[in-house]
Amino acid sequence: MLSRSTAPAAGQQRAARASFSPLRPPGPIARRRSRCVPRHRRAAAAGDAASGAPALAPAPAAAAAAVASPGTKGGAFDYAAEWWPLAFAADLDREAPNRIMLLGEPLVVWWDGAAWRCFADRCPHRLVPLSEGRINAAKRLECAYHGWEFSGGGSCERVPQGGGGASPRACATAYPARLRQGLLFVRPKPEAGPGAAAADESKIPIVEEFEDPAWVAQDTFRDVAYDWTTLMENVLDASHVPFTHHKSISNRNVIGDYVTTLDGPVTAAGFTGIWPTGPRGGALGPQSGTFRAPAFMHQKIDMREKRGAESMVVVYAVPSSPGRCRILNRNAFRFAKARLPAVVARLVPAFMVHLGTQVPLEDDVIFLHLGEEEYLKARARGQAVGQAYYCPTQADAYVLAFRRWLDDFGGGGPWGSPDAAFLGRIGPRQSRDALLDRYAGHTASCARCQRALRRVRLARRAVGVAAGAAAAAGLLAAAVAVCLAAAAAGGAAGAAGGGAGGAAAAALSALSWFAGAGGAAPGAAAPAAAGAAAARALGWGAAAALLWWLANGALGALESAFYKGQYPPPRNTDKA
């Protein structure tokens, strides 16, 4: 229980609540309904009779039965009824299907030329993943196995082998997908079919501040090898930042108190709270926070008095499968007076933002991955949260509040309570290299980083070719310099050598011209020409060395940054 004596003053609480904007539901949008429902009513009997198949309703979402978890207070929490952000739309590939895991179910996200669509990633024919197919010229999702084609609503528009497309069983399982504030949200329950209900778009967890164009957001994501509950617990905990993220985004030598309190009780909707001192020992301003069930976190620092700005961190913790999740992270700023920082922030290429923000995400991935297993072992032994964790300070107020929500209202999560069975489902612990695999965790799923990586590779090849050409030119100039020096030493004896000597002199003159020595022939000008060729050789050699460094040093390091994170982390390399 939190001590009343440490609670912030009423004025501070009111100020914190005023600086924190509630989540606002979006306005209505027009949408097209799937053609599968009318086709089902119109042609089910004929289609199934023609195929000889029994008339069956479309299969429900595979994950639905596994994601309705009973809480100790109230009824079951239906995780499949929530709107989940899958990706930033700018990071999705419009030319190919995108496979994303949500609540243990593989989904395929694709662009039909007008809107983003989301299906269960299985073809109704032989259940192979549709994400292995393609988006064809007709802007339909085409299965790679037998070429069945599906339109945006899930209807099967073509069966190349003939017949069967009119049956509702030929439809792909389509889920409602909506684009809000640059994020693609999906509700993993079909809107069409028996017992289906229209999705309530007012529940999409958007952020009011992002409706103001003065806010500048830098977005990133990462697929990580720990559970969404571990992620949410971690990002709610502000007291770890100066230590875990020292040198990457914070400073462990500048800290203050961490007296964090809740504004009220933990409810089924979540909770809000305030840290009156705020980070950096109070140098920035108070920090307010919220947890909106089931997986939305928002923390905001009011720096208007001390820095003339506000900053905000928004995190969506998306459950992929037991012990795996996707973090969608938005770091945002609003500058009250200065305009230049916002302009500069908007000019930074997205791939540079992504690479830079992977560092703090990797700062804690190893110990969170390992610590999660220890926590689950303790819970599997029957220990409660307060027995598994020792949390004597109010710095852990949000952490304990989240765990309270999870037990009281969230049923332990979409996979159920953290028991021995859940411990077995998270799988063995991964190696350090696997946890720091940036390509698997981000680059492979990010269209913008894929494009940037292709450009970096192309630039490396081009610069490498230029380095080779410069080296060849340097060798040629060096050879000419040696020959001219030898010719100068030979003097008139070389000129008296007859026809062969004349031919050699002509060839040497031509080479010296290419080498930048002015086409001088052996004679009085040979020493000067040799010096010029030697200088040119040094110049080409320096250019070759610089280009080689650019290709294998700077561009090589940049290419490597798309593939792997660094170890040890920055905090461990700084002795201060």
Side-chain angles (χ1 to χ4, degrees):
M1 181 177 293
L2 302 179
S3 169
R4 177 176 295 182
S5 63
T6 58
Q12 290 175 315
Q13 289 186 333
R14 286 194 297 271
R17 284 191 287 267
S19 67
F20 177 76
S21 298
L23 301 173
R24 183 176 64 82
I29 64 169
R31 65 180 186 272
R32 294 181 296 173
R33 295 189 62 84
S34 168
R35 292 172 53 199
C36 285
V37 174
R39 179 171 288 187
H40 167 59
R41 293 170 180 167
R42 182 174 65 248
D48 285 330
S51 65
L56 298 176
V67 296
S69 301
T72 59
K73 296 182 179 180
F77 191 94
D78 189 356
Y79 287 85
E82 299 295 317
W83 286 96
W84 295 95
L86 297 186
F88 296 102
D91 295 331
L92 293 169
D93 190 346
R94 290 194 175 198
E95 304 300 322
N98 303 264
R99 180 180 169 95
I100 301 174
M101 291 290 295
L102 175 65
L103 295 172
E105 182 182 18
L107 305 179
V108 57
V109 173
W110 62 287
W111 178 255
D112 72 353
W116 288 105
R117 304 294 183 174
C118 181
F119 296 168
D121 193 16
R122 58 181 180 273
C123 180
H125 177 211
R126 297 276 288 277
L127 305 182
V128 301
L130 290 169
S131 58
E132 289 299 312
R134 69 183 183 117
I135 302 171
N136 63 22
K139 296 300 180 182
R140 296 172 182 166
L141 184 59
E142 181 181 301
C143 180
Y145 201 8
H146 296 94
W148 287 30
E149 297 180 18
F150 302 91
S151 58
S155 298
C156 181
E157 303 294 345
R158 180 172 179 262
V159 177
Q161 295 77 16
S167 169
R169 295 191 64 194
C171 292
T173 302
Y175 296 137
R178 306 288 185 266
L179 190 62
R180 294 287 187 277
Q181 296 183 335
L183 280 165
L184 182 67
F185 289 88
V186 167
R187 181 178 179 268
K189 279 192 172 183
E191 286 185 293
D200 182 2
E201 296 177 13
S202 69
K203 295 180 66 177
I204 297 177
I206 65 169
V207 183
E208 173 70 19
E209 285 89 340
F210 289 150
E211 299 298 300
D212 180 356
W215 280 92
V216 180
Q218 294 185 326
D219 303 328
T220 193
F221 74 92
R222 179 75 174 247
D223 294 316
V224 291
Y226 48 80
D227 200 62
W228 73 279
T229 56
T230 301
L231 169 60
M232 183 53 63
E233 177 184 287
N234 180 57
V235 296
L236 284 167
D237 171 21
S239 66
H240 85 282
V241 173
F243 302 98
T244 300
H245 304 297
H246 175 70
K247 298 298 289 184
S248 57
I249 59 173
S250 191
N251 187 341
R252 62 187 171 216
N253 299 311
V254 184
I255 61 173
D257 72 65
Y258 287 94
V259 179
T260 305
T261 58
L262 301 183
D263 288 336
V266 177
T267 69
F271 58 83
T272 62
I274 181 69
W275 177 19
T277 303
R280 302 292 177 100
L284 301 181
Q287 179 170 311
S288 59
T290 191
F291 163 71
R292 177 175 175 177
F296 172 91
M297 190 283 302
H298 174 290
Q299 302 228 36
K300 185 176 181 181
I301 305 174
D302 187 352
M303 304 183 293
R304 286 173 293 182
E305 288 188 8
K306 299 183 178 182
R307 301 291 177 91
E310 297 171 275
S311 71
M312 181 168 56
V313 176
V314 173
V315 171
Y316 297 91
V318 184
S320 303
S321 60
R324 302 289 185 275
C325 72
R326 169 169 285 193
I327 176 172
L328 293 166
N329 179 208
R330 315 196 79 166
N331 301 309
F333 308 89
R334 181 170 66 177
F335 302 94
K337 297 180 180 179
R339 295 289 182 262
L340 183 59
V343 172
V344 172
R346 288 189 172 98
L347 291 176
V348 178
F351 81 91
M352 294 298 295
V353 172
H354 287 191
L355 294 182
T357 51
Q358 294 305 303
V359 176
L361 297 182
E362 292 160 352
D363 281 343
D364 45 24
V365 65
I366 295 174
F367 63 70
L368 289 178
H369 176 73
L370 298 175
E372 174 177 86
E373 183 181 44
E374 295 302 315
Y375 171 77
L376 291 174
K377 286 179 179 178
R379 294 301 302 270
R381 291 193 297 266
Q383 294 183 355
V385 175
Q387 295 171 312
Y389 289 159
Y390 175 58
C391 300
T393 74
Q394 287 188 252
D396 295 310
Y398 289 174
V399 171
L400 297 178
F402 169 67
R403 289 293 177 180
R404 193 179 312 143
W405 177 88
L406 198 61
D407 287 343
D408 290 351
F409 303 102
W415 332 116
S417 299
D419 52 18
F422 180 80
L423 178 61
R425 290 199 297 272
I426 67 171
R429 299 298 83 186
Q430 297 185 13
S431 68
R432 179 184 296 161
D433 288 343
L435 294 172
L436 296 176
D437 187 343
R438 193 175 289 178
Y439 188 86
H442 176 82
T443 307
S445 304
C446 179
R448 288 190 287 188
C449 285
Q450 283 287 325
R451 288 193 295 269
L453 179 57
R454 287 193 293 270
R455 294 188 186 111
V456 170
R457 288 171 176 165
L458 181 61
R460 282 195 72 187
R461 287 194 291 269
V463 174
V465 170
L475 290 174
L476 176 61
V480 169
V482 171
C483 292
L484 287 173
L508 182 58
S509 178
L511 287 174
S512 67
W513 184 85
F514 281 110
R536 186 61 61 91
L538 290 174
W540 281 117
L546 178 61
L547 291 169
W548 184 92
W549 172 84
L550 182 60
N552 297 283
L555 290 175
L558 181 57
E559 182 177 352
S560 178
F562 288 96
Y563 286 95
K564 59 183 179 181
Q566 66 183 85
Y567 191 87
R571 66 175 180 271
N572 289 357
T573 59
D574 181 30
K575 303 303 181 183

